[in-house]
Every structure is written in C-alpha cells, then in structure tokens.
Amino acid sequence: MNVRLTGLLLASFVILAPAMYFDLGEQEEKCIIEEIPEDTLVSGIFLLEHWDENKKGNIRHLGLTVTVRDPNHAVILLKRFGKHGKFTFTSHASGQHFVCMQSNSTRFSVFAGDRLKVHLDVQMGKHTIDPNADKTKDTMKAMENNLQHLIDQMRYISRQQNFQREREEKFRQMSEETNGNVLWWAIIQTSILLSVGIWQMKNLKNFLIEKKLV
C-alpha cells in the first residue's frame, strides 16, 4: 500500500482555514501537516467523491478513515467515516500535527485504481455559542453565553501568541547556534590555511638552503 505525505503547511494564526481539495487513490493515504498550538480545538469537514464526473454517483462502497497524530506521532484520533463527515480533536502539545486520510475501499488492490477527490475544510480555535441562548428570554443567560464565547476566543488568541513566541525563541536559538558554528568554522579554516602556509614557507626555505641558493 503506497503512502504519500502531502505537506500543506497552514498559517497557525488563521482561525478559519480555507477549504481545499486534493486527489486520493483507492487504498491510498495522504496527510496534511498542521501547525497547531497546545490545547486548541480543531474540527474538519470533508466530502469524498469520484474525480471522474461520470462515476460520482457510484461511491457507496467508499469512505474515509481519518487518523490524527501529534508531534510525537502518537495517535490522538482514529475513526472511520462514510463519504462525508466531521471530525474534531484537541491538541495536547504545540507543533506539527498530521491529519491523514485513507479511503475505506474494500476492493482488491488490483482493481482499486479509481482516483478520488477529497474536499476538506479545517477550522482551528472555533468556539460556538450555545444555540439555545438566542431562544431564551433570559437576558442574563444570553449575556453569560456571549461573555463565555469572548473568553474562549481570548484564551485561544493568547495560546496562539504563546505558540508564536515559542517558535520565535526556537528560531532565535537555532540562528545563534548556526552563527556560532559558522564563526568557529571560519576560525578553523583560517588556522589551517596559516599552518599550511607556514609549513610551505619553512620547507621552501630548507630546500633553498640545501641547494645553496641562499
């Protein structure tokens, strides 16, 4: 079974990621890489259909298996769906998360050659207000739900900012280490060149003395 990894790095500050689609072969797995902060709610909606317009109605035997792995490659979600569905998970660590999709085709690999189209919409940090709050006549209850919604959004923004600060700190450390390594490498190269130059001059002087040219 061929497993291909498609790296689609999405901006971590985008709360609502733009919808996308990609091709997927039967019994094939493709993964999307998401940079997700810690303790962030992520949800995805997908629709599976044939790439060939003439076969779009014949998809009853197909579905998707969604697997989500954290930065340590531990599985945090594994679920089978039909041709459309919705999945949600919460990140427990900051970093790259792998959202992998594989078709649930039951046909033998020899006959599983159809190309499929997967429409995917991924949302990060989305919090919904209680729908019953709009129907109630209790103004305080509605205000409480709206306030809770704002608090959740503020927490999400704060986590995003902390995540960006962590990434900037790691990048700064990597830059300093790289600059330090480059400096030491330049010093080593200069020392080697000076040593070789002095050795060559000494050998040349000894050669001239032996030949009584000086």
Side-chain angles (χ1 to χ4, degrees), residues 112-144:
D114 290 342
R115 304 305 300 176
L116 308 173
K117 180 187 289 187
V118 179
H119 300 268
L120 179 63
D121 185 12
V122 179
Q123 301 173 353
M124 290 188 290
K126 184 177 181 181
H127 301 271
T128 57
I129 303 177
D130 184 3
N132 295 324
D134 295 334
K135 300 178 181 179
T136 182
K137 295 181 179 179
D138 188 353
T139 305
M140 294 299 297
K141 182 66 176 178
M143 292 178 62
E144 180 181 349

